[in-house]
Amino acid sequence: MIEQTLIILKPDTVQRGLIGEVIQRIEKTTLKIVAMKMVYANKAQAGEHYADDQEWLMSVGEKTLKSAEKKGIKLSRTALEQGQWVRQMLMDYITMSPSVCLVIEGHGAVAKIRMLCGGTSPQEATPGTIRGDFAIDSYMLADSSDRPVQNLIHASGTVEEAKREIKIWFTDKEIHVFKRVDEDLVYRKGSS
Ligand code: GDP
């Protein structure tokens, strides 16, 4: 199915000069960049993107508690408190310096991009993925440094999430309709 997904190259990607490297990996898959811009996010955009949503806050918090538990560390915050704390740090982080936002389109774009990104914690992300190759951060290091995990890239988790997020960063006019020259091959139909 042809889908669209939102990617944000977060301030660590921009500041480390990795924009080209990350975009190249995406382009090479044959997924299509249909929108792209550098954004110095304001608090309102950050707050909308990292929504004050109970389900998201709990899932972020639980992920960290589980990771700490595996390492035998007991955190003092509840899952919800951890989620709220992370949200605040993410909002501060994404408004700190420019990011690059892109809309990527193609067959199975949402899942494919998540696979290219790798796991949330770069320390555990598989080598070959963007986070696995270009970052070393972990939940523990980030938490003890009072900042979000620096993992270079945000990518929508579902098609629905992508629809909501794309509207925050792009107007309809900024999303382009065009054909890549390799599309005839990529989406080729057999003769039978
Ligand atoms: P993603 O979809 O892989 O980006 O992960 P999430 O949606 O769960 O979390 C959003 C972002 O919050 C992550 O990319 C990290 O930058 C940051 N983050 C998530 N969980 C934690 C945490 O427990 N501690 C810290 N410091 N940052 C976190």
Side-chain angles (χ1 to χ4, degrees):
M1 200 179 65
I2 303 296
E3 303 166 349
Q4 289 187 339
T5 189
L6 178 86
I7 292 179
I8 303 178
L9 306 183
K10 300 195 235 183
D12 44 334
T13 300
V14 177
Q15 291 190 24
R16 290 179 53 201
L18 290 171
I19 298 170
E21 177 71 50
V22 173
I23 289 179
Q24 191 183 41
R25 288 183 175 217
I26 294 164
E27 279 192 300
K28 280 182 174 171
T29 64
T30 71
L31 288 173
K32 181 163 63 178
I33 297 170
V34 292
M36 176 161 80
K37 64 176 159 188
M38 185 173 260
V39 181
Y40 208 135
N42 59 40
K43 289 278 174 205
Q45 284 169 315
E48 230 189 308
H49 180 84
Y50 293 115
D52 195 1
D53 169 67
Q54 187 91 354
E55 206 180 312
W56 183 81
L57 295 172
M58 287 298 289
S59 84
V60 166
E62 275 163 6
K63 214 160 42 170
T64 319
L65 296 194
K66 263 192 208 132
S67 163
E69 202 178 303
K70 260 202 236 160
K71 295 187 170 82
I73 301 164
K74 177 120 185 69
L75 296 182
S76 54
R77 297 187 185 93
T78 63
L80 183 60
E81 284 166 351
Q82 176 73 15
Q84 284 164 334
W85 182 68
V86 168
R87 176 174 184 257
Q88 190 51 55
M89 290 193 300
L90 282 167
M91 287 168 59
D92 291 343
Y93 182 55
I94 203 142
T95 53
M96 179 182 90
S97 65
S99 303
V100 173
C101 300
L102 301 96
V103 179
I104 308 294
E105 185 180 280
H107 174 62
V110 172
K112 182 68 182 175
I113 292 287
R114 294 282 289 193
M115 276 191 275
L116 289 182
C117 290
T120 305
S121 163
Q123 193 65 231
E124 288 146 43
T126 312
T129 63
I130 292 163
R131 289 164 169 175
D133 283 354
F134 299 118
I136 55 161
D137 210 2
S138 69
Y139 291 124
M140 295 310 129
L141 180 60
D143 282 6
S144 63
S145 310
D146 281 329
R147 56 165 174 74
V149 173
Q150 292 180 167
N151 55 13
L152 302 162
I153 186 165
H154 163 82
S156 309
T158 63
V159 172
E160 284 315 305
E161 199 176 291
K163 283 184 185 151
R164 185 189 78 79
E165 292 177 353
I166 288 168
K167 284 203 192 95
I168 299 167
W169 302 99
F170 292 96
T171 63
D172 287 348
K173 278 191 174 163
E174 290 171 323
I175 302 170
H176 303 287
V177 178
F178 68 100
K179 197 168 162 184
R180 270 178 64 142
V181 292
D182 53 9
E183 276 182 53
D184 284 340
L185 173 70
V186 174
Y187 298 107
R188 189 176 76 86
K189 289 191 177 11
S191 50
S192 61

